């Protein structure tokens, strides 16, 4: 029947479109529903960690992303007010060491990324519907989705509904899957800039100075996505018409002289501020439904792993589905178990990074000075989870004892 599919995917962003492309390429009949008719810059993640790049390869999507303009980064520098620029730059980290045959993180603009994937899904044979309003979702033994497009209302049926509809997921709510949320730690703002031609195109950087922490991820051609972190009591710090310019001026710091190229650049999109926190589900599946990407919970964006998490979700879910023939009886228990531990470890890594980089009083400055000058490489092992994947760091890294060692470190 025309309204019967193997799976209905609600949400045509990164996760939904990637999953639709993979399943459609395997010959499955997939309905992909997306509310927007054009993707807009909402300051979403545009950086895929090396382990996430590996996931895109396993999904057969890496060449598509590179062909669409994906830009690899090869070096990382951490700047800090407690270090001279020369010392920071002497400890540049090569980014080709974290995943086999991956030159480094991959950056691609989010709206273009979404469009590339939804076009790929359509070309693979998925039934892609844009400008859709989802009216109702029924799950359980007989899943179905009722939606309106162009004034016409349709009810589609499938053995499985996939919720890929973001942080405010309606599918998650309908499924009754609880979302756990941690307390916010700091404000974060993001902006796309053009004309930063003096910033090295292969260099990503982070740094903290005064009451501001910055991150910079170039996309090539003088375009850079920049982020800034600041204290929770400064909600309106970059509000108003001149907010983007004041935001860029905050990047003009002594600890990273090259930041002048960022401060002098031109805004190329909106400046959005939001508070950072972790959210997670204990089990991203229920009868007739599975969640992927932000719908299943998200990591604090301070460590930039939203896309990598999503691509692993898609890989695990697609592997399970393509190994089964009866999707009405498929078990997502292995996916739920892996994701639960993955997100626990990444919450831990994000908390440490926030405490180190996004606190600005004298005690925090002293903590960073001790941390950056200490000789024990295991103190920085949580960063291995960010770059190489949460399973790459030893289990003891994700314990209260390790947290205490990092945050309560005595001078060496």
């Amino acid at each position: 029947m025309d309204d019967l599919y193997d799976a209905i995917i609600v949400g045509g962003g990164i996760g939904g479109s990637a999953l639709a492309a993979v399943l459609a390429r395997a010959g499955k009949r997939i309905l992909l529903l997306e509310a927007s008719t054009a993707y807009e810059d909402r300051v979403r993640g545009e950086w895929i960690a090396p382990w996430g790049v590996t996931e895109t390869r396993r999904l057969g999507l890496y060449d598509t992303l590179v062909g669409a303009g994906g830009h690899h980064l090869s070096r990382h520098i951490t700047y800090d007010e407690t270090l001279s620029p020369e010392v920071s730059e002497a400890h540049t980290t090569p980014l080709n060491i974290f995943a086999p045959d991956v030159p480094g993180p991959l950056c691609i603009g989010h709206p273009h990324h979404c469009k590339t994937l939804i076009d790929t899904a359509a070309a693979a044979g998925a039934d892609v519907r844009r400008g859709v309003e989802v009216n109702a979702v029924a799950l359980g033994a007989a899943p179905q989705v009722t939606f309106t497009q162009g004034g016409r209302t349709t009810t589609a049926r499938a053995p499985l509904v996939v919720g890929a509809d973001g942080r405010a997921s309606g599918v998650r709510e309908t499924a009754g899957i609880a979302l756990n949320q941690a307390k916010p730690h700091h404000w974060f703002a993001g902006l796309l800039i053009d004309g930063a031609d003096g910033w090295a195109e292969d260099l990503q950087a982070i740094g903290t100075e005064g009451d501001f922490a910055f991150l910079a991820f170039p996309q090539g051609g003088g375009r850079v996505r920049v982020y800034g972190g600041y204290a929770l009591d400064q909600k309106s710090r970059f509000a108003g018409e001149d907010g983007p310019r004041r935001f860029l001026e905050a990047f003009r710091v002594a600890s990273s002289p090259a930041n002048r190229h960022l401060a002098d650049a031109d805004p190329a999109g909106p400046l959005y501020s939001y508070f950072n926190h972790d959210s997670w589900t204990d089990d991203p599946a229920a009868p007739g439904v599975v969640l992927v990407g932000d719908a299943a919970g998200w990591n604090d964006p301070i460590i930039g792993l939203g896309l990598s998490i999503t691509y692993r979700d898609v890989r695990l879910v697609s592997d399970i589905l393509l190994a089964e023939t009866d999707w009405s009886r498929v078990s997502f228990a292995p996916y739920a178990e892996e994701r639960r531990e993955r997100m626990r470890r990444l919450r831990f890594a994000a908390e440490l990074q926030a405490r180190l980089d996004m606190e600005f009083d004298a005690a925090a400055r002293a903590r960073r000075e001790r941390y950056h000058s200490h000789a024990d490489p295991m103190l920085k092992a949580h960063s291995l989870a960010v770059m190489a994947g949460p399973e790459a760091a030893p289990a003891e890294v994700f314990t209260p004892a390790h947290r205490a060692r990092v945050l309560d470190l005595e001078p060496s």
Side-chain angles (χ1 to χ4, degrees), residues 245-267:
R245 180 49 54 194
R246 288 187 284 109
F247 179 67
L248 290 180
E249 283 300 315
F251 282 75
R252 209 180 295 276
V253 295
S255 57
S256 176
N259 275 28
R260 67 184 184 277
H261 301 297
L262 306 176
D264 291 339
D266 300 314

Side-chain angles (χ1 to χ4, degrees), residues 73-77 92-96 103-105 200-205:
L73 307 178
S74 63
R75 298 180 295 144
H76 171 90
I77 298 177
T92 299
T93 301
L95 296 176
N96 64 349
E201 291 196 345
D202 68 329
L203 175 65
Q204 67 175 44

Side-chain angles (χ1 to χ4, degrees), residues 361-390:
D361 58 14
R365 185 183 188 279
R367 180 191 302 129
R368 292 197 311 277
E369 185 171 21
R370 295 193 300 268
Y371 176 80
H372 289 309
S373 63
H374 207 278
D376 183 1
M378 279 301 294
L379 289 173
K380 300 177 174 65
H382 63 277
S383 63
L384 189 62
V386 178
M387 302 300 292

Side-chain angles (χ1 to χ4, degrees), residues 127-146:
D127 183 356
V128 174
R129 309 288 186 98
R130 303 286 303 270
V132 165
E133 179 184 356
V134 173
N135 309 116
V137 177
L139 302 172
Q144 62 183 36
V145 177
T146 300

Side-chain angles (χ1 to χ4, degrees), residues 129-186:
R129 309 288 186 98
R130 303 286 303 270
V132 165
E133 179 184 356
V134 173
N135 309 116
V137 177
L139 302 172
Q144 62 183 36
V145 177
T146 300
F147 62 94
T148 300
Q149 181 190 35
R152 179 184 176 186
T153 298
T154 303
T155 296
R157 297 175 295 125
L160 179 69
V161 172
V162 179
D165 48 343
R167 296 188 176 189
S169 172
V171 175
R172 183 183 65 233
E173 182 178 359
T174 298
I177 296 174
L179 184 69
N180 306 295
Q181 299 200 54
K183 292 182 179 179
H185 180 270
H186 58 275

Side-chain angles (χ1 to χ4, degrees), residues 9 11 46 49 89 156 187 204 216 266 279 283 294 311 335 380 389 407 409:
I9 301 175
E46 297 178 329
E89 290 161 6
W187 285 100
Q204 67 175 44
D266 300 314
S279 296
D283 189 340
D294 284 356
Y311 275 116
Y335 166 56
K380 300 177 174 65
L407 299 180
L409 190 66

Side-chain angles (χ1 to χ4, degrees), residues 266-354:
D266 300 314
L271 172 68
Y272 286 153
S273 297
Y274 45 92
F275 52 72
N276 271 28
H277 67 289
D278 281 278
S279 296
W280 66 98
T281 54
D282 294 324
D283 189 340
V289 64
V290 65
L291 307 176
V292 298
D294 284 356
W298 58 93
N299 190 216
D300 184 332
I302 189 174
I303 53 176
L305 293 180
L307 296 180
S308 302
I309 289 167
T310 296
Y311 275 116
R312 179 166 291 182
D313 289 353
V314 170
R315 195 260 301 172
L316 291 174
V317 168
S318 62
D319 281 354
I320 290 170
L321 290 175
L322 295 179
E324 301 289 344
T325 55
D326 185 356
W327 288 6
S328 66
R329 300 177 64 86
V330 69
S331 171
F332 293 103
Y335 166 56
E337 181 179 358
E338 189 280 342
R339 196 181 204 275
R340 190 159 45 243
E341 177 62 12
R342 180 186 359 144
M343 299 304 283
R344 184 191 72 83
R345 291 186 174 208
L346 295 180
R347 285 196 300 278
F348 189 97
E351 179 202 350
L352 281 185
Q353 209 63 50

